[in-house]
Amino acid sequence: MSISFNADEVFEMGMDVERNGEAYYRKAAEKVDDPEVKDILIFLADEEQKHFQTFRKLRESLPAKATTTVTQDPEDQEALYLEALVKSRLFNSEKEAERIASSVKGEVEALKTALTFEKDTILFFMHMKEMTREDLGKDKIDMLIEEEHSHVVKISEIIRNVMDR
């Protein structure tokens, strides 16, 4: 089996990741009482919404040629990697993200789940970057990776604050 992607499909996958993250953060924010934790979860939901819009704009600005195959995988290495990445992703849909958020028990668990999601997202975006040409938004993906990295730092700081209380 061979797998191929085009820039439109890559950006669509990014939109899915961001949509699922936003769903988790909004639902988790409803479940926590700590104002600092609630604030960071709402902030992260808003960030995911902005990232979704970035991918949407990237998709809208694609030339027609961007819907043709840009990556081929005759030896199935990419297919196996993506399959492992998708199966290990924390949120495979908005519904799954909300289900997980509904089941979190306390602020620390909500934050640790968020931390795992952000790390998964960085890995996913790094792989997306490799499949995106310079002239089709690769620099935007770099920007998103940097923002996700800053989210990891913020979440880690708040976990430490909550645990120190």
Side-chain angles (χ1 to χ4, degrees):
M1 178 180 133
S2 166
I3 190 168
S4 59
F5 299 97
N6 60 51
D8 185 60
E9 292 167 327
V10 169
F11 296 151
E12 183 179 20
M13 286 185 271
M15 289 171 71
D16 288 343
V17 167
E18 299 298 348
R19 186 182 302 115
N20 298 343
E22 181 182 358
Y24 171 78
Y25 291 130
R26 295 225 186 270
K27 183 59 102 177
E30 294 172 8
K31 295 272 301 173
V32 299
D33 296 323
D34 185 300
E36 182 182 25
V37 175
K38 189 178 286 290
D39 286 349
I40 190 68
L41 292 170
I42 292 169
F43 166 80
L44 291 167
D46 293 344
E47 288 288 290
E48 299 302 297
Q49 186 176 58
K50 284 194 286 189
H51 294 172
F52 176 89
Q53 294 302 326
T54 298
F55 281 120
R56 185 184 57 75
K57 288 175 185 169
L58 284 170
R59 283 185 80 195
E60 289 172 356
S61 69
L62 289 172
K65 68 180 179 177
T67 60
T68 59
T69 300
V70 293
T71 303
Q72 293 189 356
D73 182 23
E75 296 180 18
D76 285 339
Q77 292 179 358
E78 288 297 311
L80 291 172
Y81 178 79
L82 281 177
E83 181 181 350
L85 193 58
V86 167
K87 284 184 177 177
S88 69
R89 271 187 28 210
L90 193 57
F91 312 136
N92 293 315
S93 68
E94 286 179 80
K95 187 175 182 175
E96 177 72 4
E98 290 174 347
R99 185 192 65 72
I100 291 170
S102 293
S103 69
V104 295
K105 307 224 182 333
E107 282 80 4
V108 173
E109 185 178 339
L111 290 168
K112 286 184 177 182
T113 302
L115 188 60
T116 298
F117 171 72
E118 294 294 330
K119 289 176 183 179
D120 285 352
T121 302
I122 290 170
L123 288 175
F124 188 72
F125 285 176
M126 288 173 72
H127 191 67
M128 286 178 66
K129 178 182 158 187
E130 294 305 313
M131 296 188 301
T132 305
R133 291 186 355 214
E134 289 291 336
D135 61 327
L136 298 177
K138 195 172 199 165
D139 61 324
K140 299 281 193 291
I141 295 174
D142 272 333
M143 176 208 57
L144 293 171
I145 290 169
E146 288 178 30
E147 288 184 13
E148 300 294 348
H149 180 267
S150 74
H151 298 167
V152 167
V153 171
K154 286 179 185 182
I155 294 166
S156 297
E157 288 173 348
I158 293 177
I159 289 172
R160 186 173 356 135
N161 291 347
V162 170
M163 293 180 79
D164 285 349
R165 291 184 201 149

